[in-house]
Amino acid sequence: MPDRPTSEDFKNAQTLPYPAKQSEMDIQPQTDLKGYRAADKLKGKVALVTGADSGIGRAVALAFALEGARVAILYNENDGDAQKTKEMVEERGGECLVIKADVRQKAACTDAVKQTVDRYGGLNVLVNNAAFQATQDSILEISEEQLRRTLETNLFGYVFMIQAALPHLKDGDAIVNTGSIVGETGNPILVDYTASKGGIHALTKSLALQFGQMGNGVRVNAVLPGPVWTPNIPGTMPLEEVQKFGHEVALGRPGQPEELAPAYVYLACQDSSFVTGSLLHVTGGKLSS
């Protein structure tokens, strides 16, 4: 078993300016999947992963590549982190198309899908993972700008990406959304973010029903992470939360991005052929009730 930092190990961790870079974190997230055992579960497939410059998105892109998929990654700001993801994919024998785009813009989402299809000849898996969060102690402190950025990134962006991808997806293909356990539990300092994640859960279930009625064979599911050590944590959370990160879960530690990646592989591949509309909890025992 890899050595996983516990909440105690974060007592001296520091915050970083937003947007935080994974390369600058004092405790590096585990995203390299050194112990991962691939089995060609996505051989011949094409996957597009948003928010894949670092954190969970990076780990998912690597896992998909190890499983045989050709991968496109979409990111918004951190060029260096995105190039590192590309290098890591290629070091493992995979192909990686890097796309810089803002998912809040419908045209950018359409163009990202077009670039992927033009490069690889099709699209089989869409992972909506891009996210924005900012903390406020009171709803009265949430500015219109923050509210719009949160909802437009976390909800509008998911819808725009799905609208762009769906015409290219066929029977057996998959959409995997990133929700969050806080979309079920709530969080007093992440009111707008938790609302957006709850919306993603409802979107996932509604589209599973819609696509089922349409009979297009496209499955839609969501992974619900608990606390996971990614650049978003030191980049957006208060210092007191960063320095005890993961303390509230049953396992006594935060998750690492590479521990989330197998859940995305499962929902993207035919092992989950009878799974749609599912909210898959990967939380280390942070329970919703």
Side-chain angles (χ1 to χ4, degrees):
M1 285 285 294
D3 183 31
R4 308 288 191 195
T6 69
S7 58
E8 180 67 17
D9 294 319
F10 291 87
K11 62 184 179 182
N12 295 317
Q14 297 298 309
T15 58
L16 291 170
Y18 185 87
K21 299 176 181 178
Q22 181 162 326
S23 59
E24 295 180 357
M25 293 172 68
D26 50 0
I27 300 176
Q28 280 290 300
Q30 297 171 348
T31 54
D32 57 15
L33 284 88
K34 286 182 178 178
Y36 186 80
R37 295 183 180 181
D40 287 336
K41 291 181 181 293
L42 295 171
K43 187 174 182 179
K45 303 295 185 180
V46 174
L48 172 56
V49 184
T50 73
D53 54 322
S54 60
I56 293 172
R58 173 184 289 180
V60 171
L62 289 180
F64 281 11
L66 289 169
E67 292 291 357
R70 290 171 290 171
V71 177
I73 64 167
L74 187 153
Y75 76 104
N76 187 25
E77 297 188 74
N78 285 330
D79 300 333
D81 279 356
Q83 287 302 313
K84 179 63 175 179
T85 299
K86 175 180 171 66
E87 292 171 10
M88 293 174 76
V89 168
E90 292 176 344
E91 286 168 358
R92 289 155 177 79
E95 296 181 55
C96 184
L97 171 65
V98 177
I99 303 169
K100 187 173 185 177
D102 186 341
V103 296
R104 293 177 290 175
Q105 306 300 320
K106 182 177 175 66
C109 296
T110 301
D111 181 66
V113 170
K114 183 179 186 301
Q115 286 189 55
T116 303
V117 172
D118 287 349
R119 170 69 68 89
Y120 295 134
L123 180 64
N124 306 106
V125 181
L126 169 66
V127 175
N128 278 315
N129 177 67
F132 174 79
Q133 70 176 34
T135 61
Q136 302 293 349
D137 291 330
S138 168
I139 192 171
L140 300 177
E141 297 170 355
I142 299 174
S143 66
E144 180 178 350
E145 178 185 8
Q146 176 182 320
L147 182 61
R148 290 187 180 280
R149 183 168 185 179
T150 302
L151 295 180
E152 289 177 5
T153 303
N154 301 357
L155 271 176
F156 286 38
Y158 281 41
V159 172
F160 292 156
M161 289 301 304
I162 291 168
Q163 289 175 331
L166 188 59
H168 302 280
L169 302 178
K170 55 189 181 297
D171 189 10
D173 290 342
I175 297 168
V176 186
N177 297 321
T178 299
S180 173
I181 191 62
V182 298
E184 296 188 351
T185 64
N187 186 305
I189 63 172
L190 289 169
V191 171
D192 51 337
Y193 177 79
T194 60
S196 73
K197 289 298 183 176
I200 290 165
H201 303 168
L203 174 69
T204 299
K205 293 181 177 183
S206 295
L207 287 180
L209 292 170
Q210 183 181 104
F211 293 172
Q213 292 170 0
M214 291 170 58
N216 64 12
V218 177
R219 297 176 298 103
V220 190
N221 295 288
V223 176
L224 275 56
V228 179
W229 185 240
T230 73
N232 250 355
I233 305 308
T236 64
M237 298 295 284
L239 181 62
E240 60 269 23
E241 294 294 327
V242 174
Q243 293 185 337
K244 60 178 182 179
F245 191 61
H247 71 283
E248 74 274 33
V249 307
L251 294 181
R253 65 173 179 85
Q256 293 295 330
E258 65 184 15
E259 295 181 283
L260 275 290
Y264 289 82
V265 171
Y266 169 68
L267 293 175
C269 77
Q270 284 302 299
D271 287 355
S272 60
S273 59
F274 196 58
V275 180
T276 194
S278 175
L279 307 180
L280 179 56
H281 294 61
V282 189
T283 69
K286 180 177 173 62
L287 306 179
S288 60
S289 60

